[in-house]
Amino acid sequence: MQRMIATGALALAGLGAGASAAADRTLTVYTYDSFVSEWGPGPGIEEAFEARCGDCDLEFVALPGGVDILQRLRLEGEGTGADLVLGLDMNLMAEARALDLLAPHQADLAPLSLPIAWDDETFLPYDWGHFAFVYDTEQLETPPASFAELLEAPEDVQLILQDPRTSVTGQGLLLWIRKVYGDQAPAVWERLNERVLAVTNGWSQAYFSLFMNGEAPMVLSYATSPAYHMAVEGTERYQAAEFEEGHYLQVETAAMLRTTEQPELARDFLAFILTPDFQRHIPLGNVMNPAIDLGDELPEVFDRLIQPESLTFTPEEVRAHRRDWIREWLNASVR
């Protein structure tokens, strides 16, 4: 997800909640912090679902990111307090599936509108986007149009990246470079690191604390990020550079726990995900593409975004090679 929102005031309902009339129909969802922030999609989605279900209580538990959601499930095992998880992207699916904690979603996939085919019976997409370098047009008039141009760019074209061990965007770049360059990826990392200003643990720190304060002209983010600036701030200053090699795709998903005591309510929520009442909160709340066709409800600024070719590995390929590819990045980083 798109993380256009500072993670300050979080709607951390569910922690220490008292007894209520809805206590017997409480649905606990582990997700990431920006999703449930005051400006994220969570509050509107919570209100819409609770109005639909009548007497239920949707409670979000916020964690720093998708990697942290996976780690929380791994630590809690069958004793997890989650009924659902929302925020595991396609690159974490195989690792999550291997925990043997998830159940089939049983949702109708017909409404899906994704750039790739999708028939997974456990993970249900709720949004998607491409990783991209966002640049400040006031610092960089002509952005690189490929990795090759980026590697040859002037020295003052510096980058802010995220750590692939702790950040899904950082992992996205790891997979993007590996997909484009294959076994030549370590050499590319060595050259790319020459122009890296900072590597942060998460996206928010990189985007808000560094990039938006003018520390570097480019930051690793999403192709959809400029939509927020154009629609909410009314500026075209920040744009995504389109690379001719194509861009790595991220699909974010939700899944239910097989240990849930609310299986019917959990599946009601999963079915709700692919409705306009959920999806209309995604484009400017999570600043990602919706997982269904919203028609005229999609903000006009999405027509002005880059439309790159999608690059992917299978979740199984990512699981099989992730540690080796991170090791390559680490080795290149210390040279």
Side-chain angles (χ1 to χ4, degrees):
M1 118 51 332
Q2 184 62 13
R3 322 289 178 255
M4 297 303 303
I5 303 100
T7 57
L10 301 179
L12 286 174
L15 297 178
S20 70
D24 292 338
R25 295 221 337 132
T26 298
L27 194 66
T28 302
V29 180
Y30 288 1
T31 187
Y32 46 80
D33 49 15
S34 62
F35 194 89
V36 295
S37 70
E38 181 180 353
W39 301 275
I45 287 170
E46 179 181 357
E47 181 179 0
F49 183 67
E50 290 180 348
R52 174 181 292 232
C53 72
D55 62 347
C56 77
D57 184 9
L58 179 61
E59 297 186 345
F60 289 117
V61 175
L63 300 169
V67 175
D68 302 276
I69 296 171
L70 176 62
Q71 185 63 9
R72 180 78 169 258
L73 289 183
R74 184 176 286 127
L75 291 172
E76 293 182 341
E78 295 196 359
T80 182
D83 298 300
L84 284 152
V85 289
L86 187 152
L88 296 175
D89 78 2
M90 57 195 292
N91 303 309
L92 297 173
M93 282 169 41
E95 289 190 56
R97 200 191 311 273
L99 299 177
D100 193 26
L101 293 173
L102 304 175
H105 53 66
Q106 298 182 7
D108 178 10
L109 300 180
L112 279 176
S113 178
L114 303 175
I116 57 173
W118 193 277
D119 59 3
D120 195 278
E121 296 180 350
T122 301
F123 296 92
L124 184 68
Y126 64 88
D127 68 18
W128 62 275
H130 294 96
F131 298 108
F133 290 102
V134 172
Y135 66 100
D136 181 351
T137 61
E138 294 187 2
Q139 292 194 58
L140 185 62
E141 184 175 348
T142 304
S146 65
F147 274 111
E149 288 190 12
L150 177 61
L151 296 173
E152 297 295 335
E155 292 183 359
D156 59 351
V157 179
Q158 293 188 305
L159 306 170
I160 303 167
L161 306 181
Q162 296 93 53
D163 190 327
R165 296 169 296 180
T166 56
S167 163
V168 293
T169 45
Q171 178 173 274
L173 180 60
L174 186 83
L175 302 177
W176 190 5
I177 288 178
R178 187 72 199 188
K179 189 67 180 182
V180 171
Y181 287 100
D183 291 341
Q184 301 303 310
V188 172
W189 276 116
E190 286 190 36
R191 294 185 61 192
L192 192 66
N193 283 335
E194 295 174 359
R195 60 184 61 256
V196 173
L197 175 72
V199 178
T200 63
N201 287 332
W203 178 90
S204 294
Q205 183 184 5
Y207 204 94
F208 290 110
S209 300
L210 297 177
F211 177 66
M212 294 298 291
N213 283 316
E215 296 295 334
M218 300 186 78
V219 63
L220 175 63
S221 188
Y222 293 86
T224 46
S225 298
Y228 181 87
H229 298 290
M230 290 189 287
V232 178
E233 300 175 343
T235 177
E236 297 191 358
R237 175 175 173 176
Y238 304 103
Q239 298 296 327
E242 184 167 6
F243 280 14
E244 62 186 27
E245 299 96 334
H247 291 229
Y248 202 84
L249 176 69
Q250 182 191 46
V251 177
E252 294 192 295
T253 73
M256 65 177 284
L257 277 295
R258 64 173 172 77
T259 54
T260 177
E261 295 180 356
Q262 301 282 355
E264 183 177 350
L265 188 59
R267 289 200 168 93
D268 286 348
F269 183 77
L270 288 167
F272 171 68
I273 284 176
L274 297 187
T275 68
D277 284 345
F278 180 104
Q279 292 291 320
R280 66 169 56 96
H281 297 281
I282 293 298
L284 296 182
N286 220 30
V287 197
M288 292 284 276
N289 295 292
I292 68 171
D293 183 356
L294 277 177
D296 292 340
E297 284 199 65
L298 184 68
E300 172 274 334
V301 293
F302 277 72
D303 293 335
R304 290 186 264 157
L305 301 176
I306 64 171
Q307 302 294 332
E309 177 186 352
S310 297
L311 305 177
T312 63
F313 287 109
T314 67
E316 292 73 24
E317 288 175 317
V318 175
R319 184 186 181 214
H321 300 289
R322 182 170 177 265
R323 289 184 179 179
D324 290 338
W325 294 343
I326 286 177
R327 190 177 301 113
E328 290 177 352
W329 168 77
L330 280 170
N331 290 338
S333 299
V334 299
R335 288 176 184 169

